[in-house]
Amino acid sequence: MNQIKAYGSHSATEELKPLEISRREVLPKDVQIEILYCGVCHSDIHTARSEWGPAKYPVVPGHEIVGRVTAIGSEVQNFKEGDLVGVGCIVDSCRTCPSCGEGLEQYCENGMTGTYNSPDRISGGHTLGGYSEQIVVDEQYVLRIPTNLDISKVAPLLCAGITTWSPLMHWKVKKGHKVGIIGLGGLGHMGIKFARALGAQVVMITTSPEKGKDAKLLGADEVLLSTDAEMMKAHANSFDFLLNTIPVGHQVNPYIQLLKRDKTMVMVGAIEPIDPLHSGLLVTKRRNIAGSLIGGIKETQEMLDFCGEHNILPEVEMINIQNINEAWDRVVKADIKYRFVIDMQSLKD
Amino acid sequence: MNQIKAYGSHSATEELKPLEISRREVLPKDVQIEILYCGVCHSDIHTARSEWGPAKYPVVPGHEIVGRVTAIGSEVQNFKEGDLVGVGCIVDSCRTCPSCGEGLEQYCENGMTGTYNSPDRISGGHTLGGYSEQIVVDEQYVLRIPTNLDISKVAPLLCAGITTWSPLMHWKVKKGHKVGIIGLGGLGHMGIKFARALGAQVVMITTSPEKGKDAKLLGADEVLLSTDAEMMKAHANSFDFLLNTIPVGHQVNPYIQLLKRDKTMVMVGAIEPIDPLHSGLLVTKRRNIAGSLIGGIKETQEMLDFCGEHNILPEVEMINIQNINEAWDRVVKADIKYRFVIDMQSLKD
């Protein structure tokens, strides 16, 4: 075992503070990664505070990890020391079920191993995430970062990025489609960038004229204020796809009415009950509501490569690890455009 | 204009009684049909009682119509006097929108003309349905009935049948699929028959052991009691398709958990708000909820032809028109296995 520095917490109520944790030795198929940057995701907070059920403590959050390979196991084939790599939300899965076989490890039928707070298939303990100096991950779950990208901004692609990319791919969004992005935060802002790069006509759907302005700066072609009944009516039955990134329960019926026949609204933010859905709105135009969870490893690599080709990066605000508690307060208040990234060099201070 | 006998009502509260109504003369593309049988659909009741918004009175219900051609217009190409024909829920549509172009008249973007209580594109009044001696319909909306079928039982295929057939086709249900039919009534019992004929493994999902027994007689391979938590757990993540025929708002979350990854539950019964849907159940397996409305004319013909080939017929109870009010009371109490058909000869008594 390998003792390293990290930031984490020992209970649902305490603030994050420096911890010492241990990582496994490098196994034959493992890649050891010095963590350079780690994104801050709202899931980190929900988990550490046991808001999604009781967490296993200590919790060391962080599943948007960018770093450099410092050692490899004897059987590693795809990475070498010095490579720039990423780790997202998944560090292992059963590797035998149909979903794993299809490269959809996020839907592993035996349960994917999350990057933190998951039962660890190898150590038997629970996983500890990227708010730390180093991580050791089986090479099959390690991503390659295109070297032309500004690596200080890449980290959020590994959760916010893939979570919005995967449904755009699965529902085959393409040039000419009218795509609505509902909600502008870490996920929504990536949705705008991706949909635009794919050639879609991108409409930001928001309650806030202020966010509408920001969305245009990010690449939205148009803004639809969901509070404006006239505008909503004018856009009824006109969307080919809706990506709903609102992170909490809400009234979905007004959005469903925006969809053309046979089209889909995908939920990627809320993972809780949503207000009563009017079934008639689905029936009368054969509309669909679906959900989508992050994305598989292969798809995540494809997204990173696409970002390399199109120079797509999240908008980030860099912090030192010592400011993490303040940053979390701001995430809870949605006071961030659009993602915090921790400069993990600060952990050495 | 043509004066004929019918049964209908003049207000939301009165019982159905004999009326005299007028039908248009036979236009060049029209088919005049003597109505032999008409099915009784719960929609008839909702409409006549203004439960779906204020109806236009008089209401003459009935959109499961089987009859014989008694006259044709000068330009009619596909029918001749004496042909056995059917009319379902749609008697006209705009014929120019993309949905009409694709043979999906039920989703006509300018509004399909329902068989009763719809604005009539031709007369300018409102349409009057099949609880009547005769109907005049443009040939494009007339179906051909396979002559080998027992015509006294065919009528419910024209609404209950197509409403369940269309989603089975659209979502490509086929041999080997595990298909759940939720709710056993007019729609559900047709769902069982069609899914079985398509080679699926058919599971009746119901709260009632009694209905479970009936479902097996109708062709279900298995019964899943939704009140039995153990059984529901054993069937979790195992269904390729769910056809939800429950006609009122209800809790859908237990059913969603039955779906495999990427599979769909289609609502065909409830056209009202359903209880709060847990978005997490969609997200974690990329599941879908959709709706589906009856079916287009082409598809309805395909269904009738399929029924002819496989000798599929609804289970019906025959009544005389004079007993319609009593029959409606029984429909409201769900005291019918599974569809009333009115012998329209009784209108002459």
Side-chain angles (χ1 to χ4, degrees):
Chain A
M1 298 292 262
N2 211 339
Q3 291 298 110
I4 61 160
K5 285 186 191 170
Y7 249 66
S9 64
H10 282 98
S11 81
T13 53
E14 83 175 15
E15 295 212 314
L16 297 204
K17 60 183 183 188
L19 298 179
E20 196 159 272
I21 58 168
S22 54
R23 291 285 187 202
R24 69 172 183 248
E25 296 298 334
V26 178
L27 300 174
K29 293 184 172 164
D30 278 346
V31 173
Q32 185 191 59
I33 301 159
E34 179 199 356
I35 300 175
L36 301 175
Y37 300 100
C38 186
V40 176
C41 176
H42 208 139
S43 307
D44 300 352
I45 305 171
H46 288 307
T47 303
R49 295 182 179 168
S50 287
E51 291 168 359
W52 283 347
K56 288 264 187 185
Y57 294 95
V59 166
V60 173
H63 58 202
E64 296 180 338
I65 297 168
V66 167
R68 207 169 280 285
V69 176
T70 44
I72 57 169
S74 56
E75 295 172 17
V76 166
Q77 299 192 319
N78 298 312
F79 298 96
K80 62 177 195 305
E81 242 185 270
D83 282 355
L84 200 59
V85 295
V87 176
C89 305
I90 311 172
V91 289
D92 204 353
S93 62
C94 83
R95 310 178 192 209
T96 56
C97 73
S99 294
C100 285
E102 291 176 47
L104 297 168
E105 299 86 355
Q106 74 273 36
Y107 302 117
C108 172
E109 278 130 68
N110 298 301
M112 69 170 203
T113 303
T115 301
Y116 55 77
N117 207 58
S118 258
D120 189 327
R121 287 180 155 85
I122 294 171
S123 78
H126 69 280
T127 54
L128 300 169
Y131 292 11
S132 59
E133 276 184 289
Q134 187 225 77
I135 193 167
V136 176
V137 179
D138 184 294
E139 71 163 332
Q140 204 172 311
Y141 300 84
V142 176
L143 290 312
R144 186 171 295 283
I145 308 289
T147 50
N148 63 313
L149 290 173
D150 175 350
I151 59 162
S152 72
K153 296 184 173 176
V154 165
L157 294 176
L158 294 154
C159 171
I162 185 61
T163 299
T164 50
W165 172 262
S166 180
L168 292 169
M169 289 297 104
H170 185 70
W171 278 274
K172 299 184 168 43
V173 165
K174 60 180 187 191
K175 197 170 160 61
H177 279 176
K178 182 172 174 182
V179 171
I181 309 292
I182 305 171
L184 183 60
L187 298 180
H189 99 290
M190 288 311 306
I192 293 172
K193 292 188 180 211
F194 286 140
R196 186 184 171 93
L198 292 166
Q201 177 195 349
V202 183
V203 181
M204 178 72 224
I205 304 173
T206 174
T207 55
S208 150
E210 199 58 43
K211 286 199 175 185
K213 279 184 207 158
D214 292 344
K216 283 205 163 177
L217 298 175
L218 292 166
D221 296 292
E222 206 174 332
V223 176
L224 170 53
L225 290 176
S226 55
T227 48
D228 182 330
E230 283 291 300
M231 277 183 88
M232 288 293 277
K233 204 172 162 188
H235 282 269
N237 311 318
S238 72
F239 281 84
D240 295 286
F241 187 73
L242 292 173
L243 185 68
N244 186 330
T245 74
I246 299 175
V248 292
H250 59 281
Q251 178 54 262
V252 295
N253 295 328
Y255 302 122
I256 297 173
Q257 299 180 57
L258 298 173
L259 289 168
K260 287 182 189 167
R261 166 173 59 80
D262 284 323
K263 301 302 181 186
T264 300
M265 175 168 79
V266 177
M267 315 293 293
V268 291
I271 49 170
E272 57 192 73
I274 53 179
D275 292 358
L277 166 67
H278 198 303
S279 181
L281 298 173
L282 301 179
V283 168
T284 49
K285 290 223 173 256
R286 203 161 56 185
R287 295 171 174 125
N288 301 262
I289 299 186
S292 178
L293 180 69
I294 43 178
I297 298 297
K298 179 166 175 285
E299 197 171 39
T300 306
Q301 188 62 61
E302 287 163 2
M303 172 215 56
L304 289 166
D305 296 344
F306 183 89
C307 290
E309 283 159 36
H310 295 79
N311 200 31
I312 294 173
L313 285 168
E315 305 296 311
V316 310
E317 182 178 331
M318 192 73 63
I319 58 165
N320 287 337
I321 188 70
Q322 292 77 13
N323 302 118
I324 188 65
N325 293 301
E326 185 193 329
W328 275 20
D329 290 344
R330 286 180 53 201
V331 170
V332 171
K333 287 188 289 188
D335 172 26
I336 167 66
K337 289 176 181 174
Y338 288 92
R339 209 70 162 177
F340 286 112
V341 170
I342 311 165
D343 180 350
M344 293 306 301
Q345 297 299 311
S346 60
L347 191 55
K348 298 183 176 160
D349 295 347
Chain B
M1 300 291 259
N2 211 341
Q3 292 298 111
I4 60 159
K5 285 186 190 171
Y7 249 67
S9 64
H10 281 98
S11 81
T13 50
E14 82 176 14
E15 295 212 315
L16 297 204
K17 60 182 183 189
L19 297 179
E20 197 160 271
I21 60 169
S22 55
R23 293 284 185 201
R24 71 173 183 249
E25 296 298 334
V26 177
L27 299 174
K29 293 185 172 163
D30 279 346
V31 173
Q32 185 191 57
I33 302 159
E34 180 200 357
I35 300 176
L36 301 175
Y37 299 99
C38 186
V40 175
C41 175
H42 207 140
S43 306
D44 300 352
I45 304 172
H46 289 306
T47 302
R49 296 183 177 167
S50 285
E51 291 168 359
W52 285 346
K56 289 264 187 186
Y57 295 93
V59 167
V60 174
H63 58 201
E64 296 179 339
I65 297 169
V66 167
R68 205 170 282 283
V69 176
T70 46
I72 59 169
S74 57
E75 295 173 19
V76 166
Q77 299 192 318
N78 299 311
F79 299 96
K80 61 177 195 307
E81 243 186 88
D83 281 355
L84 200 58
V85 295
V87 176
C89 304
I90 311 172
V91 290
D92 204 353
S93 62
C94 83
R95 311 181 191 207
T96 57
C97 73
S99 294
C100 285
E102 291 176 48
L104 297 168
E105 299 88 354
Q106 75 273 36
Y107 302 117
C108 172
E109 277 130 69
N110 298 301
M112 71 169 201
T113 303
T115 301
Y116 56 77
N117 206 55
S118 258
D120 188 327
R121 286 179 157 86
I122 293 170
S123 77
H126 68 280
T127 53
L128 300 170
Y131 293 9
S132 59
E133 276 185 289
Q134 187 224 78
I135 192 166
V136 176
V137 179
D138 184 294
E139 70 163 333
Q140 205 172 311
Y141 300 85
V142 176
L143 290 312
R144 187 170 295 281
I145 309 289
T147 49
N148 63 312
L149 290 174
D150 175 351
I151 59 161
S152 71
K153 296 185 173 177
V154 165
L157 294 176
L158 293 153
C159 171
I162 185 61
T163 299
T164 48
W165 172 262
S166 180
L168 292 169
M169 289 296 103
H170 185 69
W171 277 273
K172 300 184 168 45
V173 165
K174 60 181 186 191
K175 196 170 159 62
H177 279 176
K178 182 172 172 180
V179 170
I181 308 294
I182 305 171
L184 182 61
L187 297 181
H189 98 289
M190 288 310 305
I192 293 172
K193 293 188 180 212
F194 286 141
R196 184 184 172 92
L198 291 166
Q201 177 196 350
V202 183
V203 181
M204 179 70 225
I205 304 173
T206 175
T207 55
S208 148
E210 199 57 43
K211 286 198 176 186
K213 277 183 209 159
D214 291 344
K216 284 206 163 177
L217 297 175
L218 292 164
D221 296 292
E222 206 174 332
V223 176
L224 170 53
L225 291 177
S226 55
T227 47
D228 182 331
E230 282 291 301
M231 276 184 88
M232 288 294 276
K233 206 172 162 190
H235 282 270
N237 311 318
S238 72
F239 281 84
D240 294 287
F241 187 72
L242 291 174
L243 185 67
N244 185 331
T245 74
I246 299 175
V248 293
H250 60 280
Q251 179 56 261
V252 294
N253 295 328
Y255 303 122
I256 297 172
Q257 299 180 55
L258 298 174
L259 289 168
K260 286 183 188 167
R261 165 170 61 79
D262 285 323
K263 301 304 180 183
T264 299
M265 175 169 79
V266 176
M267 314 292 293
V268 292
I271 50 171
E272 57 191 74
I274 51 179
D275 292 358
L277 166 66
H278 197 303
S279 182
L281 298 175
L282 301 180
V283 168
T284 48
K285 291 226 172 252
R286 202 159 60 184
R287 296 171 174 125
N288 301 261
I289 299 187
S292 179
L293 180 68
I294 42 178
I297 298 296
K298 180 167 172 287
E299 198 171 38
T300 305
Q301 188 62 60
E302 288 163 1
M303 173 216 54
L304 288 167
D305 295 345
F306 183 89
C307 290
E309 283 160 36
H310 295 79
N311 200 30
I312 294 174
L313 284 168
E315 305 296 311
V316 310
E317 180 177 334
M318 192 72 63
I319 58 165
N320 287 337
I321 188 70
Q322 291 77 11
N323 301 118
I324 187 65
N325 293 301
E326 184 193 329
W328 276 21
D329 290 345
R330 286 180 53 200
V331 170
V332 171
K333 286 187 287 185
D335 172 26
I336 167 67
K337 291 176 181 176
Y338 288 93
R339 209 72 161 176
F340 285 111
V341 170
I342 311 165
D343 180 349
M344 294 307 299
Q345 297 301 312
S346 60
L347 191 56
K348 297 182 177 160
D349 295 348

